[in-house]
Amino acid sequence: MARTRAKKDGNALAVHAKDANITWFALFICVLVLLVWSSLIVVDNAQQMRTLYQSLGTVQGEHDELMSIRSRLRLERGAVSSLHNIEKLAQEELGMHFPQASEVLE
């Protein structure tokens, strides 16, 4: 009877050891899957960062180009709105002229 009981205890320990091994193996697989998943997320985020950085460079180039156009247009506006150009346009296109002393009303 003692021998049967020892055999049963030995079998119970062997079954318990197998269950513990399976549990550790399942835990290892879960950790491995989580590691691979987090690595893929890191790789995806790095790719998104590179794409955004490239887009940023493109947009900054467009911004610089638009700023140079803006500066040039402001200079042109300043040149067109100068007093000399306004007088010239008034005389040529509108037929205006400065009044003579005899044309001034008092």
Side-chain angles (χ1 to χ4, degrees):
M1 176 130 166
R3 198 174 247 204
T4 331
R5 185 173 178 159
K7 226 181 207 188
K8 284 183 183 178
D9 288 343
N11 287 340
L13 288 175
V15 169
H16 182 65
K18 278 186 177 180
D19 288 344
N21 285 342
I22 290 173
T23 303
W24 282 110
F25 182 72
L27 183 63
F28 174 74
I29 293 298
C30 288
V31 169
L32 186 64
V33 167
L34 288 174
L35 179 69
V36 169
W37 179 68
S38 66
S39 299
L40 291 174
I41 288 175
V42 168
V43 168
D44 184 53
N45 286 340
Q47 179 60 32
Q48 286 178 359
M49 182 68 95
R50 282 190 291 273
T51 302
L52 289 173
Y53 190 72
Q54 183 180 10
S55 297
L56 177 64
T58 303
V59 169
Q60 282 179 337
E62 291 173 3
H63 177 264
D64 293 343
E65 183 180 338
L66 289 173
M67 288 302 290
S68 68
I69 291 171
R70 178 179 179 257
S71 296
R72 190 172 58 246
L73 289 173
R74 289 183 77 178
L75 285 172
E76 288 178 19
R77 183 183 70 183
V80 167
S81 65
S82 70
L83 186 59
H84 175 70
N85 283 339
I86 293 173
E87 288 176 6
K88 184 178 174 185
L89 287 173
Q91 289 173 355
E92 292 176 0
E93 293 183 14
L94 301 176
M96 300 174 82
H97 65 281
F98 282 105
Q100 301 297 324
S102 61
E103 297 176 334
V104 176
L105 298 175
E106 291 185 34

